Amino acid sequence: MNEQSGITEQDFRKKIFWKWLRSAFLRSLLVIFFVMIAVFFIIRLVPGDPAVMILGEHATEDSIEAMREQLGVNLPVSQQFLRFLSNIFRHGDTGDSLKYGISSREMVLRFAPVSLSLAGFAMVITVIVTVLLSFLAATHKDGIFDHIVRVIPAFTQGMPVFWIGLLFILLFAVHWRIFPVGGMKEGPFGLLYSLTLPAITVSFGQIPPLVRSLRERLVEVLNADFVITLKAARIPSRRIFFGHVLRNAFVPTLMLFSVNLSYLIGGTLVVEQVFGIRGVGKLLFEAISNRDFPLVQAIALYCAVFVVIISFLTDLIAHWADPGTEA
């Protein structure tokens, strides 16, 4: 049928892929636009006058009116929203920080490298530990290790990330003195050393559901007919696992990781506060305490956009690994 229509199967698959890519890209842009709307209106749903919250109840009417003009809250909501969108599209910014008096974009970018390093480190730990535990559990199905891997996450998944951080500080920093209590050391090795315990803390809550998902899929694929055939052909086990089993099993887990990505980013911001790391999370808590609304908006917007972009790339990887999902 493809020959009669002049379209090969490869061309057809490419057409389907580009159609999916355009649709996924447009969905991502739509999500980002709704995030902009949410960031703008949620701040304005906070009870009270922002100018009074910043200056205090004993401020004079003139100073309050001047602050309202500076914030732009004296304008109609429609004009405020258009100004908000204009600043984002023209400058990638939500306005100047009320405390620091400089661009909110500049403030976020100044602290972003530390937060991105922590989030990236946590992702690497999550992937490595998930693959290792899932493989060991799947290859020892119904064994002691398999039961341990399946039972322990049921107790650890509901633990708040800040409580896990405090527990790890007491054990690994105060009692055993393996890692620092908090803060950042200089140099690349100092940075890696300082971020190890916080990264483990962030990944601790992400690993259990991923292990369960990947373990179930691995068990299913390992018992598939094509794997039995490959083993009978005496193909090396390592090649079978990484070239066939893992590729067929990890796509559902990858999609679950994409869904949980927002929790990982949120956990990163909280853990920064627990460990005293000077990153975007620390900046966010300070901005909330200081009623620095433009800075809060910028952090919320950039974090949301980052999650959308990573989710889009994750979907792209999933479609590359399993072309059957393109349809």
Side-chain angles (χ1 to χ4, degrees), residues 124-138:
V124 171
I125 293 175
T126 300
V127 172
I128 294 176
V129 175
T130 297
V131 173
L132 180 61
L133 293 181
S134 301
F135 172 74
L136 293 176

Side-chain angles (χ1 to χ4, degrees), residues 198-273:
I200 293 174
T201 303
V202 174
S203 63
F204 194 83
Q206 306 299 317
I207 292 175
L210 298 178
V211 169
R212 285 203 303 269
S213 173
L214 185 56
R215 180 253 176 207
E216 293 176 2
R217 184 61 180 164
L218 283 175
V219 170
E220 180 180 343
V221 177
L222 285 171
N223 294 324
D225 293 338
F226 79 93
V227 175
I228 298 175
T229 303
L230 292 174
K231 290 180 179 179
R234 296 184 178 180
I235 296 177
S237 299
R238 182 180 301 179
R239 183 178 175 185
I240 293 176
F241 179 75
F242 288 102
H244 300 277
V245 176
L246 187 60
R247 181 170 181 173
N248 283 273
F250 93 113
V251 171
T253 304
L254 184 64
M255 302 306 294
L256 178 61
F257 177 77
S258 175
V259 172
N260 291 341
L261 184 62
S262 58
Y263 296 101
L264 186 145
I265 300 301
T268 300
L269 301 182
V270 174
V271 166
E272 287 181 0
Q273 182 73 4

Side-chain angles (χ1 to χ4, degrees), residues 19-88:
K19 181 179 179 181
W20 169 86
L21 187 63
R22 289 193 299 269
S23 176
F25 183 72
L26 290 176
R27 286 199 304 269
S28 299
L29 292 180
L30 189 62
V31 170
I32 291 176
F33 179 72
F34 280 115
V35 166
M36 293 180 184
I37 297 176
V39 168
F40 175 80
F41 284 102
I42 286 176
I43 293 295
R44 282 155 180 79
L45 291 177
V46 177
D49 190 336
V52 176
M53 296 174 67
I54 294 171
L55 297 177
E57 297 180 356
H58 302 289
T60 63
E61 287 294 332
D62 293 338
S63 60
I64 292 176
E65 189 61 32
M67 178 58 68
R68 287 173 180 159
E69 185 175 355
Q70 178 183 348
L71 296 175
V73 295
N74 59 336
L75 299 174
V77 176
S78 58
Q79 293 185 22
Q80 294 181 43
F81 183 62
L82 291 177
R83 177 186 290 187
F84 177 76
L85 292 179
S86 176
N87 285 333
I88 292 176

Side-chain angles (χ1 to χ4, degrees), residues 146-303:
D146 185 26
H147 288 300
I148 293 175
V149 170
R150 293 163 62 185
V151 171
I152 290 182
F155 296 97
T156 61
Q157 188 175 356
M159 296 181 180
V161 65
F162 68 88
W163 187 86
I164 297 173
L166 294 175
L167 181 62
F168 282 177
I169 289 175
L170 290 175
L171 289 177
F172 296 102
V174 176
H175 184 67
W176 291 328
R177 298 184 179 181
I178 300 176
F179 297 104
V181 175
M184 298 292 299
K185 294 185 178 296
E186 297 181 356
F189 293 102
L191 177 65
L192 184 65
Y193 178 61
S194 302
L195 293 181
T196 299
L197 193 57
I200 293 174
T201 303
V202 174
S203 63
F204 194 83
Q206 306 299 317
I207 292 175
L210 298 178
V211 169
R212 285 203 303 269
S213 173
L214 185 56
R215 180 253 176 207
E216 293 176 2
R217 184 61 180 164
L218 283 175
V219 170
E220 180 180 343
V221 177
L222 285 171
N223 294 324
D225 293 338
F226 79 93
V227 175
I228 298 175
T229 303
L230 292 174
K231 290 180 179 179
R234 296 184 178 180
I235 296 177
S237 299
R238 182 180 301 179
R239 183 178 175 185
I240 293 176
F241 179 75
F242 288 102
H244 300 277
V245 176
L246 187 60
R247 181 170 181 173
N248 283 273
F250 93 113
V251 171
T253 304
L254 184 64
M255 302 306 294
L256 178 61
F257 177 77
S258 175
V259 172
N260 291 341
L261 184 62
S262 58
Y263 296 101
L264 186 145
I265 300 301
T268 300
L269 301 182
V270 174
V271 166
E272 287 181 0
Q273 182 73 4
V274 173
F275 284 86
I277 298 175
R278 192 68 175 168
V280 175
K282 191 78 171 177
L283 186 64
L284 174 62
F285 282 96
E286 291 181 356
I288 294 174
S289 301
N290 296 320
R291 303 294 192 270
D292 197 340
F293 296 111
L295 187 54
V296 173
Q297 288 178 323
I299 295 173
L301 179 62
Y302 290 143
C303 287

